[in-house]
């Protein structure tokens, strides 16, 4: 198959698809003429415009809420990891101190210490 036949075949299939989908893709002429008409600043918005704006605002609010929730969760996880690491370091330090200062007496209270 030559390249000309391939181009003609693809163009023909595109025309067939567009002619079949014309009712779904294109709007009526009366709707199209009103679609791009500018509305005056003081004229009231149509119900469709108000609904579209409200949907956009709600979507923006939802995205903002999700973003801040994700940021908060990441920060909480970070703080929790930091606290866990700090607790582990302090526990290790206390354990080392106890091993170093262990005098062989149980329980190791202050009054069991051998003072010289």
């Amino acid at each position: 198959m030559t390249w000309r036949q391939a181009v003609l075949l693809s163009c023909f299939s595109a025309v067939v698809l567009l002619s079949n989908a014309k009712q779904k893709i294109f709007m009526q002429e009366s709707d199209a003429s009103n679609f791009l008409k500018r509305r005056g600043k003081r004229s009231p918005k149509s119900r469709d415009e108000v609904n579209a704006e409200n949907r956009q605002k709600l979507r923006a609010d939802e995205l903002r809420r999700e973003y801040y929730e994700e940021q908060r969760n990441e920060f909480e996880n970070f703080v929790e990891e930091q606290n866990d690491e700090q607790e582990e370091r302090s526990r290790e330090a206390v354990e080392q101190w106890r091993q170093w200062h262990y005098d062989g007496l149980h329980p190791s209270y202050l009054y069991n210490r051998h003072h010289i």
Side-chain angles (χ1 to χ4, degrees), residues 33-46:
S33 66
N34 292 334
F35 185 74
L36 296 176
K37 193 182 292 183
R38 275 189 69 102
R39 181 177 52 82
K41 289 184 179 178
R42 297 178 65 119
S43 64
K45 295 179 182 177
S46 68

Side-chain angles (χ1 to χ4, degrees), residues 89-106:
R89 282 194 297 269
S90 64
R91 184 184 53 78
E92 288 174 356
V94 167
E95 183 121 355
Q96 288 175 355
W97 187 90
R98 285 181 181 160
Q99 287 177 353
W100 179 259
H101 294 282
Y102 180 64
D103 59 358
L105 300 175
H106 281 287

Side-chain angles (χ1 to χ4, degrees), residues 10-99:
S10 63
C11 289
F12 178 72
S13 62
V15 168
V16 169
L17 287 174
L18 283 177
S19 64
N20 287 341
K22 181 180 177 184
Q23 297 84 10
K24 298 176 188 172
I25 295 175
F26 300 106
M27 58 176 53
Q28 297 294 327
E29 188 176 340
S30 60
D31 295 338
S33 66
N34 292 334
F35 185 74
L36 296 176
K37 193 182 292 183
R38 275 189 69 102
R39 181 177 52 82
K41 289 184 179 178
R42 297 178 65 119
S43 64
K45 295 179 182 177
S46 68
R47 176 59 59 193
D48 293 333
E49 286 179 306
V50 171
N51 288 339
E53 286 183 7
N54 286 339
R55 279 195 305 272
Q56 287 178 341
K57 288 178 185 176
L58 289 174
R59 180 66 181 147
D61 289 345
E62 181 181 350
L63 290 175
R64 190 178 305 112
R65 193 177 315 114
E66 288 175 2
Y67 172 77
Y68 284 118
E69 182 179 355
E70 183 178 337
Q71 295 294 317
R72 185 176 62 245
N73 288 340
E74 288 179 7
F75 181 71
E76 287 175 356
N77 291 340
F78 171 75
V79 168
E80 187 175 346
E81 287 179 12
Q82 291 292 101
N83 289 341
D84 290 345
E85 290 175 6
Q86 181 63 36
E87 287 176 13
E88 186 175 346
R89 282 194 297 269
S90 64
R91 184 184 53 78
E92 288 174 356
V94 167
E95 183 121 355
Q96 288 175 355
W97 187 90
R98 285 181 181 160
Q99 287 177 353

